[in-house]
Amino acid sequence: MIFNEIFSSYYRVTAAILREAARGNLTERKLYSMVRDQAFGESILSLPEELRSARWHLLDQNLVTPLKEIPELPLTVLEKKWLKTLLSDPRIRLFSPDVTGLEDVEPLFSPEDIVYYDRYADGDDCEDSGYIENFRTVLRSLRNRENLEVVYESRHHETGTIFITPFYLEYSEKDDRFRLIGAGHKRRFTLNVAQIKSCRILTDWETAPFREMVRKSVTFELRDRRNALERVLLHFSHLEKETRKIGDDHYVVTLKYDQEDEIEMVVRILSFGPFIRVTEPESFIELIRERLKKQMVLSNTWRRNMQQTGNDGV
């Protein structure tokens, strides 16, 4: 499996140990320390002795390696193609990744080959030159812990200037948007990067203390019909969660999320229809009721309009 998170760790730690041995820097203490820090807990029981076994011929009992060259782990052609595929995503290119060694590699597929059926179509234009410039300025301020002066256009098309201390960037898969989270003027801000008209880094301004983000949770029962459990766990894979089985196809799932994402959570949970029944908290259940009432009003209004249009012969 490409970049396997379990098996590749053994290759990485073995290569690191052999590099130390080839340089003559490997000691008994360092060997066990590297296995403990870079592999898994149980690896320390077997890996050091396996490396020194006559079967592997990688280290002798004195921690000397017969290798004459420093070991490397070059990427396979398939791994390079997979990396080139990821790096062709305009969202990843915003972070200016190093593409050295991949210049002449063909990707496995292009971003245009992927069809997204569960997210909005008006996401961030990550290839716009102004957007890229603003994003990288924000990124630099985060990395260097610098403050920003942001000219921002609100959803009501009003433009104003905000002085903000950035804390982190977040990405909404549903909206396909990057958001900047920060604080200033004794309040917390969540700014869509696409709505930043311009920004510059400040060096002589300090913001008010940041108010911690409010964390909330929602619990629902799930019937595993039509592969519902797998779809739910995949859909909410980025959230902290707890899942308990209480029947043959009956589960209880608790998700933790940021308060600012509550409306989005309501919409996403409703998208699973009758397979999910929210049990707590009551405040979240009330939000679902309100959302369904609004949808009923809109549906009835649309139905009446269609009937009137039909009666008019249009």
Side-chain angles (χ1 to χ4, degrees):
M1 185 182 293
I2 298 177
F3 306 126
N4 186 281
E5 63 180 347
I6 297 177
F7 296 111
S8 62
S9 65
Y10 295 112
Y11 291 99
R12 288 196 299 270
V13 69
T14 298
I17 290 170
L18 293 177
R19 280 195 289 270
E20 290 296 302
R23 297 186 182 108
N25 298 328
L26 188 62
T27 64
E28 188 85 14
R29 183 174 181 179
K30 182 176 287 188
L31 170 63
Y32 280 90
S33 175
M34 294 177 72
V35 173
R36 182 177 59 252
D37 296 340
Q38 299 180 40
F40 303 97
E42 66 275 10
S43 302
I44 203 166
L45 301 175
S46 58
L47 189 56
E49 292 308 315
E50 291 287 354
L51 286 172
R52 289 186 287 195
S53 69
R55 184 164 59 92
W56 284 17
H57 302 291
L58 294 176
L59 291 174
D60 62 21
Q61 294 301 315
N62 297 318
L63 302 180
V64 176
T65 179
L67 299 177
K68 302 301 182 183
E69 302 290 337
I70 302 294
E72 300 292 341
L73 284 176
L75 296 174
T76 66
V77 174
L78 183 59
E79 287 172 335
K80 289 182 179 180
K81 288 186 174 184
W82 175 247
L83 281 176
K84 190 62 174 286
T85 302
L86 296 180
L87 295 174
S88 64
D89 189 318
R91 291 166 297 185
I92 294 181
R93 292 204 301 269
L94 291 169
F95 296 88
S96 305
D98 185 6
V99 296
T100 304
L102 300 175
E103 295 84 355
D104 300 325
V105 176
E106 289 293 326
L108 292 174
F109 53 85
S110 69
E112 291 75 23
D113 296 329
I114 304 174
V115 178
Y116 297 95
Y117 61 89
D118 57 350
R119 77 181 190 189
Y120 296 106
D122 60 345
D124 289 359
D125 183 1
C126 298
E127 297 183 276
D128 176 75
S129 58
Y131 181 96
I132 294 173
E133 181 180 357
N134 290 334
F135 187 95
R136 289 178 177 168
T137 300
V138 169
L139 199 60
R140 176 190 153 188
S141 71
L142 285 166
R143 288 170 172 168
N144 298 334
R145 298 186 177 181
E146 297 170 310
N147 299 309
L148 283 174
E149 179 187 54
V150 177
V151 178
Y152 189 76
E153 182 180 357
S154 71
R155 59 181 178 179
H156 303 295
H157 304 292
E158 298 174 349
T159 302
T161 301
I162 300 172
F163 296 94
I164 184 173
T165 295
F167 283 89
Y168 60 89
L169 279 166
E170 68 176 19
Y171 174 72
S172 170
E173 184 179 8
K174 187 76 173 180
D175 297 329
D176 189 25
R177 293 185 183 278
F178 281 99
R179 302 186 186 112
L180 170 63
I181 312 300
H185 303 296
K186 298 182 180 180
R187 58 168 292 193
R188 180 179 181 276
F189 288 100
T190 299
L191 307 179
N192 289 327
V193 175
Q195 292 173 238
I196 295 177
K197 310 304 291 183
S198 64
C199 59
R200 68 183 184 91
I201 291 175
L202 301 172
T203 57
D204 57 352
W205 175 79
E206 292 185 359
T207 186
F210 176 63
R211 293 185 297 178
E212 289 295 330
M213 182 179 297
V214 178
R215 296 281 289 171
K216 303 188 76 172
S217 65
V218 58
T219 300
F220 54 82
E221 295 180 3
L222 180 147
R223 290 286 184 182
D224 192 15
R225 311 281 173 77
R226 299 182 184 177
N227 214 26
L229 179 63
E230 181 177 341
R231 290 190 290 115
V232 165
L233 295 181
L234 181 62
H235 192 74
F236 296 109
S237 60
H238 61 294
L239 297 179
E240 182 181 350
K241 66 181 68 64
E242 178 184 338
T243 305
R244 292 185 293 112
K245 186 174 183 179
I246 59 176
D248 290 340
D249 63 348
H250 197 186
Y251 297 82
V252 173
V253 180
T254 298
L255 303 175
K256 295 183 179 180
Y257 61 93
D258 298 330
Q259 184 179 26
E260 291 217 340
D261 298 329
E262 192 158 58
I263 298 302
E264 180 180 343
M265 287 294 295
V266 170
V267 174
R268 295 172 70 177
I269 285 177
L270 280 173
S271 69
F272 287 92
F275 300 109
I276 283 179
R277 185 176 70 87
V278 176
T279 57
E280 59 178 317
E282 185 62 34
S283 59
F284 197 97
I285 297 173
E286 186 59 34
L287 287 174
I288 289 180
R289 291 194 184 107
E290 293 175 3
R291 187 83 183 185
L292 291 174
K293 288 176 182 177
K294 290 179 181 179
Q295 289 180 353
M296 287 296 294
V297 170
L298 290 173
S299 178
N300 291 335
T301 301
W302 176 83
R303 188 177 293 108
R304 285 196 300 270
N305 290 339
M306 290 298 293
Q307 289 173 350
Q308 291 173 0
T309 303
N311 292 336
D312 292 339
V314 179

